[in-house]
Amino acid sequence: METVNPQLTDKAIRDYKLVCLAREKGDEKAFSDLLNLYREPLYLMLLKMTNDPVEADDLTIEAFSKAFRSLHLYSPTHAFSTWLFTIASNNCIDFIRKKRLNTISINNVYNNDEEEKSEMQIASSNPTPEEEVITEQRIKIMRQAVQLLKPR
């Protein structure tokens, strides 16, 4: 066990003892205790960053996974919670950056290969006004035809 920073709080010292048990002895209860202590506050921070409960939950699990795989790198110079929240925050920022790279604004004009300005055209699955009128006319014609049929 390394020398602990004397300025750490009792909570930080408790966490460090759990980290040592988890890291050095593979104590699953210590892992579980750390997870239970920080899962909700970590999730709430990530929820504020992503504004998406599913993504926040996934990122929470991913943050704990990264932290637990890297426990050998943790040093008691700072509180475990600070270290964990830094990992989660950086991971979330990377996630948001990647997500933004995969999106394109449909409102912005862009240049194509010939340096001409053009707007992005996106096909709609909804019928055009003309198609709606044609459909209504067909329904009207079908109803008239059905009314002309004899009851038998």
Side-chain angles (χ1 to χ4, degrees):
M1 199 156 131
E2 300 173 40
T3 306
V4 179
N5 182 345
Q7 295 177 343
L8 291 180
T9 64
D10 290 341
K11 183 180 108 178
I13 292 170
R14 175 208 61 204
D15 292 349
Y16 180 62
K17 289 177 183 177
L18 289 171
V19 168
C20 288
L21 287 171
R23 178 173 58 190
E24 295 162 11
K25 298 183 180 179
D27 186 338
E28 289 184 23
K29 183 172 180 342
F31 280 114
S32 177
D33 289 347
L34 288 168
L35 182 75
N36 291 333
L37 286 167
Y38 292 106
R39 182 179 177 103
E40 186 176 350
L42 196 64
Y43 169 80
L44 293 173
M45 178 193 77
L46 294 168
L47 182 60
K48 285 180 184 177
M49 292 177 75
T50 62
N51 202 27
D52 184 324
V54 174
E55 287 176 355
D57 195 45
D58 289 346
L59 288 166
T60 301
I61 293 166
E62 197 173 312
F64 276 107
S65 177
K66 284 183 177 189
F68 289 157
R69 281 193 314 266
S70 303
L71 273 182
H72 63 282
L73 300 173
Y74 172 69
S75 169
T77 56
H78 295 89
F80 174 76
S81 58
T82 303
W83 184 73
L84 175 64
F85 277 72
T86 301
I87 289 171
S89 179
N90 289 340
N91 189 48
C92 186
I93 290 167
D94 289 344
F95 171 80
I96 292 168
R97 282 183 186 147
K98 287 177 189 173
K99 187 176 177 183
R100 284 190 183 150
L101 289 175
N102 292 331
T103 59
I104 298 172
S105 173
I106 61 173
N107 296 325
N108 292 341
V109 177
Y110 66 94
N111 290 327
N112 58 20
D113 291 338
E114 288 106 30
E115 297 297 323
E116 296 172 5
K117 296 216 174 210
S118 59
E119 292 183 11
M120 187 176 292
Q121 299 295 320
I122 299 177
S124 172
S125 60
N126 296 332
T128 64
E130 181 182 2
E131 290 170 331
E132 287 178 359
V133 169
I134 291 171
T135 301
E136 287 174 16
Q137 288 174 347
R138 285 183 179 163
I139 290 171
K140 184 178 177 182
I141 291 169
M142 288 295 280
R143 285 187 178 147
Q144 288 173 348
V146 169
Q147 286 178 350
L148 293 175
L149 294 174
K150 294 180 181 175
R152 294 193 101 202

